[in-house]
Amino acid sequence: MQIETITTHPYNDQNPGTSGLRKKVKVFQQPGYLENFVQSIFDSLEDFAGKTLVLGGDGRYFNRAAIQIIIKIATANGFGELIIGQGGLLSTPAASHIIRKYQAFGGLILSASHNPGGPDEDFGIKYNVGNGGPAPEKDTLAFYQRSQSINSYKTIIADDVDLDNLGTRQIDGLKITIIDPVSDYAELMQSIFDFPLLKQSISSKYITLLFDAMHAITGPYAKRILVDMLGAPAESVINAEPLEDFGGHHPDPNLAHAHELAEIMFSDHAPTFGAASDGDGDRNMITGCQIFVTPSDSLAIMAANAQLIPAYANGLSGVARSMPTSQAVDRVAASYNIPCFETPTGWKFFGNLLDAGKITLCGEESFGTGSDHVREKDGLWAVLFWLNLIARKRQPVADIVHGHWQKFGRDIYCRHDYEAVETPIANAIVEHLRSQLPTLPNQTFGEYTVKFADEFCYEDSVDGSISRNQGIRIGFTNGSRIVFRLSGTGTVGATLRIYIERFEPDSNRHNQDAQEALAELIVLAEQLCEVKKRTGRTGPDVIT
Ligand code: VG1
Ligand code: CO
């Protein structure tokens, strides 16, 4: 094997965000850019010589080229085996499972998730550790610090590796195994859910379904599991072919971007169940005939009914949600007398709690739910969970949701995103909010009195690590909240996210439109942060 050391110069912008390093493809294509970041990761890790690295991505533009580059750098740095998804493909949850199942040292996942793809769009890379989960903050900080002083990377001179033929081959002492990206994951799903019941419910047409893969990674997974294994008709999976540019759309499963699915689910020929997933397969959107389930409600409903699912029949050890996620799951945890943790945004904060067995289920308002079966959020798992619930409860989605609200009350919830705001303006908004924190408590705005106003600081109960500045929270005496934070996944300017919620115990008022029910808090949020005034915009770019 001929190892080469290539001289390079550092780039100053390789600080991973909420979920890895995400930049425009053109940024990643700069000489040495990807190479520097990968070498910085390897330079920050210890004791991996001869060990296994898992490699795969969501198939977006630059995926294949990046994989070839990484194979060579990983080889030169001394890994002993690479496990790669066929065609360079692995969904994020499948990659997490494969790292765990084959006891790999770690993995590199290539994705910018729900961000658009193509030569002028986004690319991303993140490192997952041996538990299958995203590298914790101390690691991502080390990667960034190393990237600021890196001056060379190691690679080998070799031909590109054939990514398309399954099997194991030896290249200069290195073992490369190309695996089917779906098989191990499908087997895992079969071990969690009641496949015979699902098959029966689908073949009897009690459940009719539509899954929108959004031309992203879950197409092959959904076809194998929903169609081949569970017997759903082939046309149940739409936009099933992964495309490098996701067909020109945002592979973001919400009502705005999964509009093809949304239109059908709110039409008079809607199936009983509809769902979508994102670019890398870790997000999920759940809908039923004429109803959209907010991700926060979905998490709460899953927690409340988990015992109906074979893998969770013995109950949950605890649950967790990210801070901006609604408090719906907290009510379930309180009523079941199990712990509920509040973590910062991003899946990396759930890893320790899952590893320590403190939680079984967790989720985020951003269309993410998962459990201890992997260490990432998992889109198709959530879909199968809901299908299994419908089949067991023999109730349509709308009845399940309304029944849940009746029992626990409804946490009416929405998120407003102002995208690509000029960074100095966004920073000034945050500063402006920060400056008000000391004087907000006890102030009254209409029917809302501020109970607390702070910047969320998280102390990990397992390793004691502290993460500061994780979003601005304003809580009211009646349990309502407004949360503000800047996105850590965007690639253009800054995105301001405003999360708004209000608890409605009265079941006569559960069927309100969220925007109407939250109107007063929405006005108050603007009064506090002045995003419209400061940007000259008239409203948010995306409402979820
Ligand atoms: C967003 C979501 C966050 C999620 C993250 C990664 O981050 O808000 O909840 O964990 O995306 O999801 P941010 O920093 O932009 O708010 V994915 O599907 O992009 O891996
Ligand atoms: Co994703």
Side-chain angles (χ1 to χ4, degrees), residues 198-411:
L198 285 176
K199 250 178 118 159
Q200 190 271 326
S201 304
I202 289 170
S203 68
S204 68
K205 301 220 168 31
Y206 179 73
I207 292 177
T208 51
L209 66 104
L210 189 64
F211 178 83
D212 187 350
M214 304 193 84
H215 287 305
I217 190 74
T218 49
Y221 291 83
K223 279 207 280 195
R224 180 89 57 88
I225 296 170
L226 300 175
V227 179
D228 300 348
M229 295 169 81
L230 296 176
E235 50 299 354
S236 309
V237 182
I238 56 171
N239 301 317
E241 188 197 342
L243 297 176
E244 285 195 331
D245 67 349
F246 309 115
H249 302 294
H250 289 232
D252 195 354
N254 56 41
L255 291 178
H257 292 299
H259 55 88
E260 187 178 347
L261 175 83
E263 271 159 37
I264 296 173
M265 295 312 296
F266 286 91
S267 73
D268 55 11
H269 54 278
T272 55
F273 180 81
S277 189
D278 71 333
D280 60 330
D282 56 358
R283 296 188 177 206
N284 71 87
M285 176 173 76
I286 302 295
T287 65
C289 177
Q290 315 284 341
I291 184 168
F292 160 72
V293 187
T294 71
S296 297
D297 279 344
S298 174
L299 173 64
I301 292 167
M302 286 171 149
N305 295 286
Q307 282 183 293
L308 298 177
I309 308 293
Y312 313 106
N314 293 331
L316 307 175
S317 62
V319 291
R321 61 163 171 84
S322 66
M323 184 273 282
T325 303
S326 98
Q327 297 160 88
V329 74
D330 305 34
R331 300 180 205 289
V332 177
S335 115
Y336 288 14
N337 209 9
I338 54 172
C340 178
F341 296 85
E342 183 178 46
T343 58
T345 293
W347 215 260
K348 56 178 172 267
F349 295 101
F350 294 132
N352 278 346
L353 297 171
L354 290 163
D355 284 352
K358 290 187 170 209
I359 60 170
T360 313
L361 282 194
C362 47
E364 299 190 277
E365 51 63 43
S366 54
F367 298 83
T369 17
S371 87
D372 57 1
H373 69 290
V374 288
R375 294 292 180 274
E376 288 278 2
K377 55 187 184 268
D378 190 343
L380 267 167
W381 167 87
V383 169
L384 292 164
F385 196 120
W386 266 91
L387 289 170
N388 204 153
L389 270 193
I390 297 167
R392 269 303 297 277
K393 289 175 87 81
R394 300 303 275 186
Q395 275 186 315
V397 176
D399 290 8
I400 294 177
V401 173
H402 293 137
H404 184 88
W405 290 344
Q406 280 224 304
K407 184 162 175 200
F408 295 95
R410 178 179 174 196
D411 290 84

Side-chain angles (χ1 to χ4, degrees), residues 18 22 113-114 282-283 364 366 377 485 487-489 497:
T18 313
R22 293 186 190 175
S113 189
H114 55 292
D282 56 358
R283 296 188 177 206
E364 299 190 277
S366 54
K377 55 187 184 268
R485 60 178 283 282
S487 154
T489 56
R497 305 204 195 285

